[in-house]
Amino acid sequence: MSNLLLIIRLLLLLSTSAPPSLGLAHQSTSISAFRHCLQNHNRSDAVLYLPTNSSFLPVLNAYIHNKRFIGPATAKPLAIVTPTHESHVQATVLCAKANNLQIRTRSGGHDYEGLSYRSPSPFILLDLNNLRRIELDVETETAWVEAGATLGELYYAIANKTNTLAFPAGVCPSIGVGGHFAGGGYGNLLRKYGLSVDNVIDARVVNARGEILNRSTMGDLFWAIRGGGGASFGVILSWKVKLVRVPEVVTAFQVDRWLDQGASDIFYRPRHCYRWQQVSTNLSKDIFIRAMPQVVTTPENKTKVMISFVGEYLGRTKDLVRYLSRSFPELGFREVDGKEMSWVETVLFWAMIPVNKPLEVLLNRKSEPSYFKSKSDYVTEIIPREALPGIWDALLKVGPCFTQWNPYGGRMAEIDTDEAAYAHRAGYLFKVQYYVWWVEDGEEAEARHVGALDALHEAVTPYVTKEPREAYLNYRDLENGVNSVEKPEWSKAKVYGEKYFKGHFERLAKIKAEFDPENFFRDQQSIPPFPHSH
């Protein structure tokens, strides 16, 4: 054990803990003791920001992407730590624990409900944006990626070395890899190579004792953090990933169809075999086609539903034309619809960035914050044709919004359900994201838009998974259930836990009991330790 850990452990024994609910006087005492502990052993003032610092709010708000959580109504951290070395993370965990302060860990700040940077209880924000080193080894086709790096930075690093390797992950370049991978990591290569976590081969994690674990020393924790989220178990420092092979030329495309152009019939029509719902999960693994029903304002200022079929093919356009003419002829895909490019250029395509932009655009870590709310579903049975008009009507009532229907099948159907904590594998047709955004300030506007989204979610209820109605952790939604941070209840945790993790929830809770029995790492939707009474 390092001298740093020994000294801080001694502080733990000597420290007097404050009560769970800290008053202002206790907060002041605790943060003073925390600051002394951290500075004494890091020998650095630069990593710590207090509310009295002029940089405090700019640092806090720099990686808040949802404007719902920027205003004065959102509780602020007592301090922000921006570590530049792994030892800073260890010290933060132990010093916070010694002073009965919670921590929130933020890598990219894209948690949909802001749980990586807000809490109802006094807390320290551990902001990992300075821990973003990427070490790429083309010869072994692997990379070590620190948790504060973004997907864009990882994609840029790969493209700088090779145009025949890639990594299966999401399409938003500013997302941090720390939380994205831990929740599963969904991207457009999943039908070929699975999720991000299916290509993680090692990790470094700080546990509740301030120790750094890797795959060889963490045991079942390695299973848990691949789909079970990281925030319940520790602080993920870095991931080692296996890169995947892609051709030098791939094809990206988007085919738009209005409802009055037969979009619903392309989506699904009974007694016709070649519709999106039937074929999207059964196509070649090299093909990914997302259906994206969305509300669009026409030049005549009318709102209409349009379905965009957005896809990627690991190959040339002319080959895709031949394949889809046999396997999905109703799409009407033509050679002019396809755009040939390198794999990294498809990242720009999916992010709606012009593909002729310099790749340095991927290094932009920040995005303009907006008001938004999202929900998710999983679908295991074809949604009947007669149900679609009601869904489209509910979509229109939401206003500016989109839904993404992402197909499974391929490699996702081959990976054993118990291979990692991510539980949604074979038997799923697609995953759905519902996403609404707005520009008006105020609680009334939020209530109106969120209410309309809830109504859309309700309209789809009969056609999605049930008991429980499953959801994707990385599309976090507090309406799936919340727990008390101060006095978590097992019964409440089961509500959201089984939605996110299905039958894996209890195994995750048992791993939690082994690695964090005191439940130091917790939030409103964290996994509690498995209770002894069960």
Side-chain angles (χ1 to χ4, degrees):
M1 186 182 299
S2 70
N3 291 335
L4 170 66
L5 291 185
L6 285 172
I7 293 170
I8 297 178
R9 289 273 172 78
L10 181 61
L11 284 176
L12 272 168
L13 295 174
L14 297 175
S15 174
T16 301
S17 295
S21 183
L22 300 176
L24 290 177
H26 281 124
Q27 287 183 27
S28 177
T29 301
S30 294
I31 196 60
S32 178
F34 171 82
R35 181 182 184 183
H36 174 75
C37 174
L38 195 65
Q39 291 181 341
N40 186 45
H41 299 291
N42 280 344
R43 305 281 192 262
S44 172
D45 296 332
V47 299
L48 183 68
Y49 298 88
L50 298 175
T52 53
N53 300 140
S54 60
S55 300
F56 179 84
L57 281 179
V59 171
L60 173 64
N61 293 336
Y63 296 101
I64 295 181
H65 303 280
N66 195 333
K67 288 180 71 175
R68 292 165 58 206
F69 310 122
I70 289 181
T74 300
K76 305 297 187 287
L78 299 180
I80 303 171
V81 181
T82 57
T84 56
H85 189 272
E86 291 179 343
S87 65
H88 299 165
V89 177
Q90 295 173 278
T92 300
V93 169
L94 289 174
C95 291
K97 193 174 181 182
N99 291 283
N100 204 27
L101 296 169
Q102 293 184 23
I103 66 169
R104 291 290 180 271
T105 304
R106 180 170 72 177
S107 56
H110 280 270
D111 186 294
Y112 277 7
E113 295 283 9
L115 298 194
S116 63
Y117 52 81
R118 68 185 186 102
S119 171
S121 298
F123 72 104
I124 304 297
L125 173 60
L126 184 58
D127 191 320
L128 303 181
N129 78 88
N130 288 326
L131 295 180
R132 57 177 188 260
R133 184 177 55 181
I134 299 171
E135 297 179 355
L136 197 74
D137 189 333
V138 173
E139 187 173 330
T140 61
E141 299 181 358
T142 61
W144 272 104
V145 189
E146 288 190 316
T150 63
L151 295 182
E153 289 169 338
L154 174 59
Y155 298 155
Y156 180 83
I158 296 172
N160 257 353
K161 293 285 185 72
T162 173
N163 62 356
T164 57
L165 292 176
F167 188 73
V171 302
C172 178
S174 60
I175 288 177
V177 305
H180 182 70
F181 292 0
Y186 186 99
N188 304 319
L189 291 173
L190 92 163
R191 302 194 66 254
K192 179 72 171 181
Y193 291 113
L195 303 169
S196 299
V197 291
D198 300 321
N199 298 277
V200 167
I201 55 179
D202 204 344
R204 290 172 61 80
V205 181
V206 175
N207 67 7
R209 291 170 56 86
E211 301 160 332
I212 296 179
L213 308 177
N214 59 25
R215 182 172 182 174
S216 66
T217 58
M218 71 175 74
D220 281 349
L221 184 59
F222 186 67
W223 178 88
I225 60 174
R226 290 180 297 137
S232 295
F233 302 100
V235 179
I236 295 171
L237 297 171
S238 57
W239 302 96
K240 187 178 184 181
V241 299
K242 180 68 176 175
L243 305 180
V244 301
R245 298 179 182 180
V246 292
E248 291 184 2
V249 177
V250 302
T251 300
F253 61 91
Q254 178 170 328
V255 178
D256 298 329
R257 295 287 186 267
W258 298 99
L259 293 188
D260 55 15
Q261 293 178 318
S264 291
D265 287 337
I266 299 174
F267 191 78
Y268 178 62
R269 187 177 178 184
R271 296 182 297 278
H272 291 74
C273 298
Y274 302 112
R275 310 295 168 163
W276 183 86
Q277 284 200 81
Q278 291 111 312
V279 305
S280 60
T281 58
N282 296 310
L283 295 171
S284 162
K285 293 179 186 178
D286 291 334
I287 301 175
F288 175 91
I289 303 179
R290 164 188 290 168
M292 193 169 170
Q294 56 193 309
V295 175
V296 177
T297 302
T298 69
E300 296 78 26
N301 206 31
K302 295 181 179 179
T303 54
K304 298 173 63 176
V305 172
M306 179 176 74
I307 303 180
S308 297
F309 297 91
V310 193
E312 180 173 308
Y313 170 59
L314 299 178
R316 296 275 186 177
T317 304
K318 56 181 174 49
D319 298 325
L320 180 60
V321 171
R322 283 195 295 268
Y323 183 87
L324 290 181
S325 67
R326 300 190 305 270
S327 303
F328 191 12
E330 279 74 12
L331 181 62
F333 182 79
R334 305 162 300 164
E335 191 164 353
V336 69
D337 295 320
K339 296 177 176 62
E340 293 188 343
M341 59 189 74
S342 65
W343 171 79
V344 74
E345 288 173 327
T346 70
V347 173
L348 303 182
F349 168 84
W350 285 101
M352 294 183 289
I353 300 171
V355 295
N356 59 356
K357 285 269 190 179
L359 291 183
E360 282 71 22
V361 70
L362 294 173
L363 302 179
N364 184 3
R365 296 177 55 85
K366 300 176 184 179
S367 58
E368 189 67 27
S370 62
Y371 293 109
F372 69 87
K373 171 72 177 179
S374 181
K375 305 180 82 67
S376 62
D377 269 317
Y378 287 91
V379 178
T380 57
E381 298 180 0
I382 287 176
I383 299 175
R385 178 64 172 79
E386 59 268 22
L388 298 182
I391 296 173
W392 307 152
D393 286 345
L395 189 64
L396 275 170
K397 291 175 183 176
V398 178
C401 68
F402 64 76
T403 61
Q404 294 176 341
W405 306 60
N406 300 293
Y408 268 48
R411 180 67 181 137
M412 287 296 287
E414 298 170 352
I415 299 173
D416 189 276
T417 302
D418 295 327
E419 178 68 23
Y422 185 88
H424 313 276
R425 300 287 189 177
Y428 290 86
L429 295 178
F430 39 90
K431 173 172 64 68
V432 185
Q433 177 180 199
Y434 316 88
Y435 189 102
V436 62
W437 70 93
W438 61 95
V439 296
E440 313 99 302
D441 297 324
E443 294 180 0
E444 188 279 329
E446 178 174 337
R448 184 173 71 255
H449 288 283
V450 172
L453 184 69
D454 287 342
L456 170 61
H457 196 242
E458 181 65 26
V460 185
T461 300
Y463 315 110
V464 299
T465 54
K466 301 173 181 64
E467 297 181 359
R469 184 174 187 170
E470 299 164 26
Y472 179 40
L473 178 63
N474 281 357
Y475 295 158
R476 192 188 299 279
D477 177 10
L478 290 184
E479 293 179 61
N480 286 324
V482 294
N483 218 335
S484 166
V485 173
E486 296 298 344
K487 295 182 179 179
E489 298 177 36
W490 175 254
S491 59
K492 291 182 178 179
K494 282 190 70 175
V495 173
Y496 57 79
E498 292 181 349
K499 291 178 180 179
Y500 290 135
F501 311 118
K502 298 178 57 183
H504 288 167
F505 173 65
E506 285 199 2
R507 181 177 174 185
L508 287 164
K510 290 175 181 177
I511 295 171
K512 168 75 168 182
E514 177 184 355
F515 286 90
D516 185 17
E518 297 175 355
N519 201 20
F520 172 68
F521 294 107
R522 64 190 188 273
D523 58 42
Q524 296 96 308
Q525 282 194 342
S526 59
I527 300 166
F530 189 78
H532 295 297
S533 59
H534 281 64

